[in-house]
Amino acid sequence: MPHRPTRHKFRPPWRASVLTLFPEMFPGPLGLSLAGQALDAGLWALSTHQIRDHGIGRHRAVDDNPAGGGAGMVMRADVIAAAVDAARAEAATAGEDLPLIYFSPRGEQFTQKMAHELASGPGVMLLAGRFEGIDQRVIEGRGMREVSIGDYILSGGELAALVLLDACVRLLPGVVGSAESLAHESFETGMLEYPLYTRPREWEGRTIPDVLLSGDHQRIANWQTEQAHKITTLRRPDLLQKRSTTKR
Ligand code: SAH
């Protein structure tokens, strides 16, 4: 596959707008390596919004006791709404209407398919929760899509935001050198990836499978598909089931 130029000057950057109590966490790891280079090159842009700027009173409170009692604190609907409205107004001046995602263990599971869907749009607005979460009314009132990154509890949505952004940014045109290196990855084919090898040819008595050194591209491709199928059957049979019903 020919290597296409990596700059897309005519294209506005893919926009990430993050609402958080900890803007210092961004870009964090996304300021390095591929995502960091792409950020510097203007392929994507990041803005953060401090939720506390919209807090109540002298102490800029953002949370309060849960109605009905119980442990922990809940982020207030009025504070979150004010933060969302301000971030949306700012995006609107740039002509952008970004889908609003609230990270929550109750949300739909983030997948490679969702990463593609979001990466092909104008960008995302991400709300990172803290404490026990946010008031239900603002989830409904501002039309938030609830997204989970997995069945475990984080102490805040910021790491979830970094995970989602990393997965989306590497799909933007020009971020990863060749489109081909994306095409074979786990989940793209509906299967997990086949095993990988590189030099040295022999390491601690272990050799590289002969077929990979044969130079026979058809045999190599067949072997890789076979291996991918084998490992997927073993570890994630659910993927093969999905694959037979929804062929990409
Ligand atoms: N009380 C909640 C957990 C709150 S954790 C519950 O039982 O469901 C605090 C914040 O961390 C959440 O508001 C959310 O924004 C974030 N968070 C925690 N786990 C997450 C996950 N698996 N996926 C996405 N966001 C998560």
Side-chain angles (χ1 to χ4, degrees):
M1 191 175 289
H3 187 78
R4 279 188 286 126
T6 55
R7 296 290 147 89
H8 297 262
K9 290 232 164 67
F10 52 90
R11 187 196 292 263
W14 190 80
R15 168 83 47 193
S17 169
V18 183
L19 287 72
T20 169
L21 288 172
F22 299 99
E24 309 84 348
M25 289 194 188
F26 298 87
L30 300 183
L32 305 168
S33 191
L34 287 176
Q37 286 158 24
L39 189 58
D40 291 342
L43 296 178
W44 68 293
L46 172 71
S47 55
T48 55
H49 300 270
Q50 172 54 274
I51 296 171
R52 198 166 295 283
D53 290 349
H54 305 275
I56 308 288
R58 199 160 57 88
H59 296 294
R60 301 230 164 258
V62 298
D63 57 326
D64 211 323
N65 297 310
M73 301 295 273
V74 177
M75 296 181 90
R76 293 174 54 122
D78 50 357
V79 172
I80 296 292
V84 167
D85 294 348
R88 275 187 171 159
E90 193 188 287
T93 61
E96 288 161 347
D97 182 17
L98 306 176
L100 174 59
I101 287 175
Y102 167 55
F103 289 107
S104 160
R106 297 186 313 207
E108 62 184 298
Q109 168 100 39
F110 183 60
T111 58
Q112 189 65 13
K113 183 163 169 257
M114 202 191 295
H116 276 286
E117 179 199 315
L118 296 172
S120 65
V124 284
M125 185 170 291
L126 305 176
L127 171 59
R130 281 273 157 179
F131 316 109
E132 292 305 321
I134 69 177
D135 189 304
Q136 179 64 25
R137 292 169 295 178
V138 73
I139 298 178
E140 296 162 12
R142 289 298 179 272
M144 298 181 191
R145 180 176 187 182
E146 288 184 82
V147 173
S148 165
I149 64 159
D151 290 348
Y152 40 78
I153 306 296
L154 304 167
S155 37
E158 288 79 9
L159 285 174
L162 290 169
V163 166
L164 181 144
L165 291 176
D166 184 72
C168 289
V169 163
R170 63 197 297 288
L171 296 176
L172 300 176
V175 174
V176 170
S178 83
E180 219 205 328
S181 61
L182 296 174
H184 291 281
E185 284 177 323
S186 297
F187 310 118
E188 295 294 354
T189 55
M191 290 197 280
L192 301 177
E193 196 176 51
Y194 46 81
L196 305 170
Y197 300 87
T198 184
R199 277 186 266 272
R201 214 171 154 138
E202 187 180 333
W203 174 78
E204 294 193 351
R206 295 165 191 265
T207 55
I208 296 175
D210 283 341
V211 53
L212 296 180
L213 307 171
S214 69
D216 182 340
H217 297 297
Q218 190 54 54
R219 263 186 72 211
I220 293 173
N222 291 346
W223 179 87
Q224 288 173 335
T225 306
E226 227 173 81
Q227 293 292 317
H229 198 271
K230 207 164 123 189
I231 197 166
T232 310
T233 308
L234 214 58
R235 296 188 183 176
R236 294 292 304 277
D238 58 300
L239 292 179
L240 292 175
Q241 249 148 33
K242 265 186 226 149
R243 192 165 180 256
S244 56
T245 47
T246 59
K247 204 106 193 214
R248 286 169 52 102

